[in-house]
Amino acid sequence: MAAEGGGKETNEIKTQFTTREGVYKLLTHSEYSRPNRVPFNSQGSNPVKVSFVNVNDQSGNGDRICFNVGRELYFYIYKGVRKAADLSKPVDKRIYKGTQPTCHDFNPLTATAESVSLLVGFSAGQVQLIDPIKKETSKLFNEERLIDKSRVTCVRWVPGSESLFLVAHSSGSMYLYNVENTCGTTAPHYQLLKQGDNFAVHTCKSKSARNPLLRWTVGEGALNEFAFSPDGKFLACASQDGFLRVFGFDAAELHGTMKSYFGGLLCVCWSPDGRYIVAGGEDDLVTVWSFLDCRVIARGHGHKSWVSVVAFDHCTTSVEDGELPAEFSGSDEDFHEQIHFGAGRERANSSHSRLSKRNSTESRPVSVTYRFGSVGQDTQLCLWDLTEDILFPHLPLSRTRTHTNVMSATSPTATGQTVTTVSITSTTNSSGTNGKDNVSDSSAGGNPANALPDPLPRSNSLPQATNPAGGSTPNSHTGSSCSSSSSSKGNSIIDSAFIATKFATLSLHDSRKERNEKDHKRNHSMGHISSKSSDKLNQLSSSRTVKAEAAKTLGTTLCPRMEEVPLLEPLVCKKIAHERLTVLIFLEDCLVTACQEGFICTWARPGKVGLLSSQNNPANSPSGTVV
């Protein structure tokens, strides 16, 4: 796959690239890898992942880095642009037998120079809590694989919590754990707590508190990645069925959905202010989705293969008139730091109302630039700018409706900043497509599927956006992509889970099992399949489902056609590795990438290269995890 991404003429690995703010340079002395620096043979291995945390060390060197390569896990002091990496002295190194680490996450709330809490997910389904500074292993969750036998795809501490964490598996399930609870010696029994459009939440029935507190089943196929919003109140899930689903986390309510152009979604991230979500996947595209309007507002095409990571750059993202409140001017990492200094989750309780208020015409910023990046299996790094002409196309000037496609409408200016002229297709004949698009929420009502983004105010619904009177939505996915809040929004499902663990009730059949049985019958009987083949069966059944769904959703608000939304071109698109890229993290002084060979590269931001020889850099990189 990597060879396809760079032909002979582009096979040269870039060591620097230029943007409007200056030149980013690869710091070869700041490369982290296995101590022997030998490229890792990546065949059949899990992706290399990187996690960061800041331990607030008074010496000014508080950043710590963790990365996995094959069966090995390394923990180093990260010196970034300040000093060359010393690979001979890892703080901790672990080699696992019989399983491989797949993902990890630090808890920024509990991190000190003497102790850090690191969660590590494994290919066999277990989750380990370790302290690489004390070199201790605190606990092993799902040790007997009674909760889930499939690979851990993503693990995250719940924002603002020192004890709760969320784990996603390739089975399509997510589990909420408490580090204080045990996992029990028998398989958990579940009781349905909440059910919605292609998702269900179950609580674990037990006389005493045990893990998991909750089980989420989301979509069909693997749940590849999830990300908490900067305020910690919402959860975005990218699934192999191609759907992005955004939930209110505490109440387990579906806020909105989006469908990839084709194939599965592999990665997802939030903008620093929580307004936008970017997802990437097997369609080789990056898709920008508006959290408030619940619709696709742009796509970016620059990769030649699957997009493996997307991430916002909180340092380059700017709002010129200062509309962003303090809570939303940083990244997820900054949010964690605010909590660490006593802000707490209460600070974000009214975030949704503040964001909604800021989305009104009067409060929209005059000049906005969101910078985000993406890396893919084509070994390329792409940087993108999302500017106000894409975000608010009807505000600056009234644009005449034309029948020109928006594709190829992007052109770089002399300053290197992408400015996209958006032309809107005003076709009113929507036979066979918009008839299925049922817009039931006012927040999504102003965006008919065949005219995105809409030059009219978003509150004005066009006639073709509504269903005929008495009409129903044939497919549950082709309805409104933004769900209205129900009366139970205030009830926290986490609280319900804690309450439910105190009572032993009659055993209920697992609704997920029933649904799988139905899907199995629908997809023809395939005889007895061994447990080793379960992943292949899931892929087969999900691929059939995905193909059927794609035909029904294309051209709706869930998945607009290519000509219906602006198509971004990357500011930068450079081949920076020999193997597929698996990591992209933006820090204060640099950005960090990693490839499947096990090399973690540091790229100094413009003007930061000189810091390599200086030991007294006051600006520390923020803590955080791989996006």
Side-chain angles (χ1 to χ4, degrees):
M1 193 68 71
E4 295 173 10
K8 292 181 180 178
E9 69 282 356
T10 59
N11 206 33
E12 182 187 351
I13 303 298
K14 304 298 181 184
T15 57
Q16 66 179 48
F17 55 86
T18 305
T19 63
R20 69 171 186 277
E21 60 270 16
V23 180
Y24 289 75
K25 294 185 178 180
L26 176 65
L27 302 180
T28 54
H29 297 297
S30 297
E31 182 180 84
Y32 286 77
S33 67
R34 298 190 297 172
N36 59 13
R37 294 187 183 271
V38 174
F40 177 68
N41 182 2
S42 60
Q43 292 300 323
S45 180
N46 288 290
V48 173
K49 295 290 181 71
V50 174
S51 295
F52 282 99
V53 70
N54 190 290
V55 298
N56 298 305
D57 189 358
Q58 297 303 317
S59 68
N61 199 18
D63 289 323
R64 303 292 183 265
I65 183 173
C66 172
F67 57 91
N68 61 287
V69 182
R71 301 185 185 281
E72 302 166 11
L73 187 74
Y74 292 93
F75 179 78
Y76 282 95
I77 294 175
Y78 179 70
K79 299 174 182 176
V81 300
R82 294 181 293 277
K83 196 174 179 182
D86 184 1
L87 300 184
S88 65
K89 298 177 181 177
V91 178
D92 194 16
K93 172 188 174 182
R94 297 173 185 236
I95 302 177
Y96 296 93
K97 296 180 180 178
T99 186
Q100 294 185 8
T102 58
C103 51
H104 30 84
D105 190 34
F106 287 105
N107 192 330
L109 298 183
T110 59
T112 66
E114 294 77 34
S115 174
V116 293
S117 297
L118 176 66
L119 290 168
V120 184
F122 291 91
S123 55
Q126 303 94 334
V127 178
Q128 193 178 41
L129 175 63
I130 64 176
D131 187 334
I133 295 180
K134 293 182 177 179
K135 296 181 171 57
E136 293 177 354
T137 300
S138 302
K139 287 186 177 179
L140 185 59
F141 302 93
N142 192 29
E143 182 175 6
E144 302 299 326
R145 306 172 69 209
L146 297 172
I147 296 171
D148 200 306
K149 292 181 170 60
S150 65
R151 176 173 55 92
V152 176
T153 56
C154 187
V155 60
R156 294 276 189 273
W157 290 96
V158 174
S161 174
E162 295 185 4
S163 57
L164 297 179
F165 62 93
L166 195 61
V167 181
H169 288 258
S170 60
S171 62
S173 295
M174 284 189 301
Y175 302 90
L176 181 68
Y177 287 81
N178 187 329
V179 293
E180 308 298 334
N181 295 353
T182 62
C183 290
T185 55
T186 59
H189 294 281
Y190 297 103
Q191 181 174 354
L192 183 64
L193 187 65
K194 195 148 195 173
Q195 196 162 13
D197 184 9
N198 231 5
F199 81 96
V201 182
H202 292 79
T203 183
C204 182
K205 298 190 303 177
S206 176
K207 291 181 179 179
S208 58
R210 66 161 288 179
N211 285 318
L213 301 176
L214 295 172
R215 183 187 72 174
W216 296 58
T217 51
V218 180
E220 302 291 339
L223 202 164
N224 291 320
E225 188 177 38
F226 63 82
F228 284 100
S229 60
D231 60 18
K233 294 175 70 68
F234 293 90
L235 183 71
C237 300
S239 297
Q240 190 59 38
D241 62 5
F243 279 90
L244 167 73
R245 297 175 178 87
V246 181
F247 297 95
F249 181 61
D250 286 345
E253 289 187 337
L254 185 63
H255 170 78
T257 56
M258 182 271 287
K259 175 71 173 60
S260 68
Y261 198 68
F262 63 83
L265 286 178
L266 304 178
C267 50
V268 62
C269 69
W270 292 77
S271 64
D273 57 3
R275 280 170 163 256
Y276 303 101
I277 295 173
V278 171
E282 297 174 356
D283 54 9
D284 303 354
L285 302 170
V286 291
T287 303
V288 185
W289 189 81
S290 168
F291 173 82
L292 293 163
D293 296 334
C294 294
R295 66 181 182 92
V296 176
I297 59 169
R299 290 190 180 103
H301 184 250
H303 287 284
K304 300 180 180 69
S305 187
W306 295 357
V307 180
S308 50
V309 183
V310 287
F312 273 88
D313 182 356
H314 59 282
C315 295
T316 314
T317 294
S318 65
V319 182
E320 286 192 7
D321 65 351
E323 281 291 330
L324 286 177
E327 291 89 339
F328 297 98
S329 60
S331 65
D332 281 326
E333 294 89 339
D334 296 326
F335 174 74
H336 290 316
E337 288 182 351
Q338 289 175 2
I339 293 173
H340 186 70
F341 293 114
R345 286 188 73 175
E346 293 78 8
R347 189 169 192 170
N349 280 348
S350 59
S351 63
H352 192 221
S353 60
R354 280 204 304 273
L355 286 174
S356 300
K357 183 180 179 182
R358 286 179 51 239
N359 197 44
S360 65
T361 303
E362 294 75 29
S363 64
R364 275 183 193 151
V366 210
S367 179
V368 184
T369 301
Y370 291 90
R371 166 70 58 80
F372 65 95
S374 58
V375 294
Q377 296 195 8
D378 56 0
T379 72
Q380 293 193 122
L381 163 70
C382 292
L383 295 181
W384 315 80
D385 267 0
L386 190 61
T387 50
E388 68 274 5
D389 53 346
I390 296 294
L391 303 175
F392 319 120
H394 57 287
L395 276 186
L397 8 130
S398 93
R399 302 182 187 271
T400 49
R401 294 188 179 186
T402 68
H403 289 271
T404 311
N405 289 347
V406 282
M407 296 177 70
S408 304
T410 308
S411 59
T413 62
T415 59
Q417 178 176 350
T418 297
V419 176
T420 305
T421 305
V422 186
S423 303
I424 308 300
T425 305
S426 60
T427 310
T428 53
N429 181 10
S430 56
S431 61
T433 301
N434 256 5
K436 293 182 180 179
D437 187 23
N438 174 25
V439 181
S440 59
D441 190 2
S442 60
S443 63
N447 310 294
N450 66 338
L452 295 172
D454 198 334
L456 296 176
R458 291 182 179 128
S459 58
N460 296 342
S461 298
L462 296 183
Q464 63 265 34
T466 57
N467 264 354
S472 61
T473 307
N475 179 10
S476 59
H477 283 300
T478 56
S480 168
S481 61
C482 202
S483 305
S484 59
S485 302
S486 69
S487 59
S488 62
K489 187 169 186 177
N491 300 330
S492 169
I493 57 164
I494 300 178
D495 295 338
S496 303
F498 281 119
I499 295 169
T501 56
K502 298 178 182 177
F503 302 97
T505 55
L506 293 175
S507 176
L508 296 177
H509 285 297
D510 189 341
S511 65
R512 176 73 170 178
K513 191 179 296 181
E514 292 175 353
R515 198 169 76 194
N516 280 347
E517 289 173 359
K518 292 177 182 176
D519 287 347
H520 178 71
K521 293 174 183 176
R522 191 181 301 120
N523 291 321
H524 308 295
S525 175
M526 300 182 67
H528 176 72
I529 307 287
S530 67
S531 59
K532 290 183 180 179
S533 305
S534 61
D535 286 344
K536 292 183 179 178
L537 176 59
N538 286 338
Q539 291 173 5
L540 180 62
S541 60
S542 65
S543 66
R544 290 174 175 170
T545 307
V546 165
K547 287 179 182 177
E549 295 295 344
K552 296 176 182 178
T553 57
L554 185 61
T556 69
T557 52
L558 285 177
C559 181
R561 298 181 186 278
M562 290 299 287
E563 66 270 16
E564 293 171 347
V565 293
L567 189 65
L568 305 177
E569 292 180 0
L571 294 175
V572 170
C573 189
K574 300 293 183 184
K575 178 182 174 66
I576 61 170
H578 289 291
E579 267 291 341
R580 64 185 187 272
L581 293 163
T582 57
V583 170
L584 174 62
I585 304 172
F586 291 96
L587 299 178
E588 207 70 42
D589 298 328
C590 58
L591 61 92
V592 177
T593 61
C595 71
Q596 194 56 24
E597 286 183 317
F599 297 119
I600 291 88
C601 298
T602 298
W603 300 77
R605 290 184 185 272
K608 301 292 185 180
V609 181
L611 293 175
L612 192 58
S613 58
S614 173
Q615 296 299 314
N616 53 2
N617 175 34
N620 287 331
S621 304
S623 63
T625 58
V626 60
V627 181

